[in-house]
Amino acid sequence: MTQTRALPLALIQLEVPPPAVVAQIGEQPAWFIDALALQPADYVIVRPHLGDALPAFDSISGAILSGSWAMVTDHAEWSERTAAWIRAALEAELPLLGVCYGHQLMAYALGGKVADNPNGWERGLKALTRHPQAENDPWLGALPDDFEAWLSHRQSVITPPAQAQVLASSEQDGCQILRYSAQALSVQFHPEFSRNIMLACLPAGESDDGSELVGEDWARELLRSFWQQTRPQPRVQAQGA
């Protein structure tokens, strides 16, 4: 068997955390790098908010769109530019995973509506329910019907794009996982988070409620499933070749 060359995964960082958060745990790409144990050759970091060009589709294996302290409804230039890139990436069948802000930006880019969640902030370790139609999803089939994940968001996808499938929900948010195509999915929760990251992201003066993830981290498993989808598969060499 021969192994095809692996292109890097694009970690698309959408704005920067507050300085106090950066001082404790770094910026968003570091959280994904740690969660997936990525090596330097495995990824490239793209920062549209600093003027970076979005990557050519033939130069990367897929992309993760990060969370952010910004709001999709602010329609910042870098955000709108990334939304246009998302639409083109979907047409090009590039593997995409949107996380929190990235989830909302994907939904917005593809025709959905994003706004302040009428149920208020959703923050901390929360229970999520997988919908029955997710059973045969290649990235979600292993998920139990109920699982926990870390969340921290004020805005939500209020109306999903017409073509999107809603595959999970929580008590406060009906669009926790959206599937757009065979290659593109987004999640409102943070599969890259640990309890330490969640604590660092709490607003000043807000104390931890003692939440602790017990059992398997299914959100992290979903993140790993996406990463594996972007890796080249070994090719069987024909006899005599």
Side-chain angles (χ1 to χ4, degrees):
M1 288 193 292
T2 60
Q3 187 78 30
T4 57
R5 176 176 168 269
L7 293 171
L9 175 70
L11 301 176
I12 301 181
Q13 179 181 341
L14 301 170
E15 263 285 7
V16 294
V21 174
V22 175
Q24 292 182 72
I25 55 172
E27 299 182 3
Q28 300 98 311
W31 314 339
F32 289 101
I33 292 165
D34 289 347
L36 291 169
L38 300 180
Q39 300 303 306
D42 291 335
Y43 64 89
V44 292
I45 298 173
V46 182
R47 298 180 173 93
H49 59 282
L50 295 181
D52 289 0
L54 278 303
F57 305 135
D58 61 359
S59 69
I60 56 174
S61 62
I64 295 176
L65 296 123
S66 81
S68 179
W69 273 253
M71 298 293 165
V72 169
T73 54
D74 288 342
H75 303 294
E77 181 279 333
W78 57 265
S79 186
E80 294 295 310
R81 182 159 50 88
T82 305
W85 181 86
I86 288 168
R87 289 189 287 271
L90 200 77
E91 295 230 351
E93 299 183 350
L94 181 76
L96 293 177
L97 176 65
V99 173
C100 196
Y101 187 97
H103 162 75
Q104 296 166 19
L105 187 61
M106 284 181 68
Y108 160 76
L110 300 170
K113 179 184 177 183
V114 174
D116 288 356
N117 188 329
N119 298 315
W121 277 92
E122 189 174 37
R123 185 185 292 126
L125 187 64
K126 301 293 182 181
L128 282 74
T129 299
R130 187 192 69 164
H131 294 185
Q133 57 267 42
E135 267 184 35
N136 297 319
D137 189 280
W139 303 351
L140 307 177
L143 281 176
D145 291 340
D146 298 292
F147 64 102
E148 292 181 321
W150 301 104
L151 288 121
S152 181
H153 67 110
R154 178 166 66 83
Q155 294 199 323
S156 294
V157 177
I158 304 301
T159 306
Q163 78 275 27
Q165 267 192 310
V166 181
L167 298 180
S169 58
S170 66
E171 186 177 344
Q172 285 180 254
D173 193 321
C175 294
Q176 285 286 348
I177 302 179
L178 291 175
R179 167 69 76 181
Y180 309 93
S181 72
Q183 296 82 23
L185 181 134
S186 66
V187 299
Q188 180 58 69
F189 53 89
H190 283 277
E192 81 282 20
F193 268 27
S194 62
R195 184 167 182 265
N196 184 54
I197 294 173
M198 183 75 250
L199 288 174
C201 291
L202 289 174
E206 185 167 320
S207 60
D208 172 34
D209 64 2
S211 296
E212 189 72 69
L213 186 66
V214 177
E216 188 153 4
D217 189 342
W218 290 104
R220 184 64 61 83
E221 285 301 307
L222 190 158
L223 182 62
R224 292 192 188 105
S225 292
F226 172 76
W227 164 239
Q228 289 303 316
Q229 290 283 332
T230 71
R231 298 297 83 200
Q233 301 303 311
R235 293 183 302 186
V236 178
Q237 196 167 22
Q239 278 191 326

